[in-house]
Every structure is written in C-alpha cells, then in structure tokens.
Amino acid sequence: MTRRALVIGASGGIGTALSAALATYGSEVTRLSRAGDGLDLTDPTSVERAMSVLRGPFDTVLIASGILAPEGARPEKSLAEIDAENLARVLAVNAIGPALVLKHLPRLLPQDAQCVVGVLTARVGTIGDNHLGGWYSYRASKAAANQIVRTAAIEISRKRKQAIVVSLHPGTVETPFSKAYSGHAKVTPNEAAANLVAVLDQLTPADNGGFFDWAGKPVPW
C-alpha cells in the first residue's frame, strides 16, 4: 500500500523540504499552504474548507506552519514591549492554527494501523527549561501548542491505539523566519527535514504525546 502524507504549511522553507523528503521516502504527499491553497490557519472557515475535502487515511501528518513575530515586529525582549495585538496574532498562528487542524484529523487517520502526527513547535516553548526570558509571545504560543498536542494525543489514542501524536523541535533552520537571529547554529531546511523524517521513523505508540528534538531526544516541557 502506498504511504500517504499530509503537510500543512508546505510552502514554507521547512514545509517544502519536509514534503520533498517524504516524497523521496516513497510517500504520496498532499500539500496545503497559504501560498498554494489560500489556507489561513487563523480562520476556522478556511481550515474547514481545506480539510473537509481531504480523504484519508494518511499515515503521516506534519503541521509545519508558524511565525516568529507578526510582520514588521520582532520577538519581545522585555515586558515593556508586549503588544496585545501582536501577542494575539502569534497565538492565533502558532497555537490556535494547529488546534484547528488537529480538530479535523481523527477522521483522516487510519483506525487500526500505525500513523504519526508531528506538530513543529520549538524548544523555547518549554517552561521548565526557560532560563533566559524574553520572547513572550513566541514562547507562550509554543507552550500552548505543546499542551494542545499533548491533549490531542491522549484523545486520539483512545480510538486509534497505534496513533503517535507528538511535538517536534526542528532546531534553528536557515529560513527568512530565522534570518535576523545569528546567535544560533543553523541547519538548512533539507537537513532539518531529513532529521525530522528520521525521528518520525523511529517513533512507536509508546512515544505518543511526547516532545522530541531533531535528534530524537525528549525535550522537557
């Protein structure tokens, strides 16, 4: 049987690379994005329209959408820089958007076969491992996304015992998204995609609800 994959955010740097990597491994890849399909993850009607026409089952689903900050803004360095509209926008894209997609996923997953759903979040979304502060909106949105993924994993696995739903930290990837931040070692989108696909291949149902980095190591919540 042909493996089938769904990539949300497939027009972004890492989304494009993930789609290509999955295709290289033999998957038939369905791609959805704002640029290619008009998918607006902040609009429930747009998500409903895009997801309702899909026909499963998909054995791999990746949600690779996200923003660091709204256009023209930057991650906050202090409490004084918090802006309500910018905070709401980042939460809408990074947390509510994936939740709206996850809402539609159960019917698209196989009932009795192993499948994996990976949502790209970020290590800076961890609460216990936050020692630097700053980046309020981005950190909060990724922490919220992690909780949404964890909760969805519990619910989905009740009826699909072989489902694996996880958060993924891809590392710092060389994209326009990270161009302004030079303090971190970066990998190319193709390298990040290869790393994540390798992690997905190693996961088992026992890993359901986990948070893993690009090397397959658990990330603290």
Side-chain angles (χ1 to χ4, degrees):
M1 182 180 294
T2 302
R3 293 172 61 88
R4 301 184 68 223
L6 171 64
V7 178
I8 307 294
S11 65
I14 192 166
T16 298
L18 283 167
S19 299
L22 289 166
T24 298
Y25 279 89
S27 291
E28 174 189 290
V29 182
T30 298
R31 300 165 171 85
L32 287 177
S33 67
R34 175 188 286 272
D37 309 279
L39 174 61
D40 181 357
L41 290 185
T42 68
D43 179 0
T45 301
S46 178
V47 176
E48 170 77 30
R49 183 169 54 247
M51 299 297 291
S52 65
V53 299
L54 297 176
R55 295 294 176 264
F58 293 99
D59 52 72
T60 303
V61 179
L62 285 167
I63 302 176
S65 55
I67 60 171
L68 192 60
E71 187 173 352
R74 68 177 188 184
E76 310 94 339
K77 292 184 178 181
S78 68
L79 284 166
E81 293 184 9
I82 291 177
D83 176 88
E85 289 186 6
N86 287 348
L87 175 59
R89 175 64 180 171
V90 176
L91 285 165
V93 175
N94 291 351
I96 299 174
L100 292 175
V101 173
L102 288 167
K103 174 183 176 180
H104 295 276
L105 277 191
R107 73 170 186 85
L108 298 174
L109 301 176
Q111 188 75 43
D112 300 311
Q114 183 165 305
C115 57
V116 61
V117 178
V119 181
L120 271 61
T121 64
R123 188 183 298 274
V124 296
T126 65
I127 294 174
D129 195 33
N130 178 3
H131 303 291
L132 296 176
W135 289 37
Y136 287 89
S137 298
Y138 190 68
R139 287 184 186 276
S141 69
K142 293 303 185 178
N146 284 338
Q147 184 69 284
I148 289 166
V149 173
R150 174 76 173 183
T151 307
I154 293 169
E155 178 179 346
I156 289 172
S157 68
R158 287 177 180 149
K159 293 184 178 179
R160 291 163 177 78
K161 302 299 183 184
Q162 297 188 62
I164 309 162
V165 182
V166 297
S167 294
L168 296 170
H169 168 61
T172 304
V173 184
E174 290 179 352
T175 66
F177 187 84
S178 63
K179 185 177 181 180
Y181 302 92
S182 57
H184 300 276
K186 299 177 184 178
V187 296
T188 67
N190 288 340
E191 289 173 317
N195 291 336
L196 292 177
V197 170
V199 171
L200 296 179
D201 284 343
Q202 296 169 6
L203 297 177
T204 72
D207 297 312
N208 183 52
F211 185 12
F212 300 94
D213 71 9
W214 57 270
K217 296 179 181 179
V219 180
W221 295 110

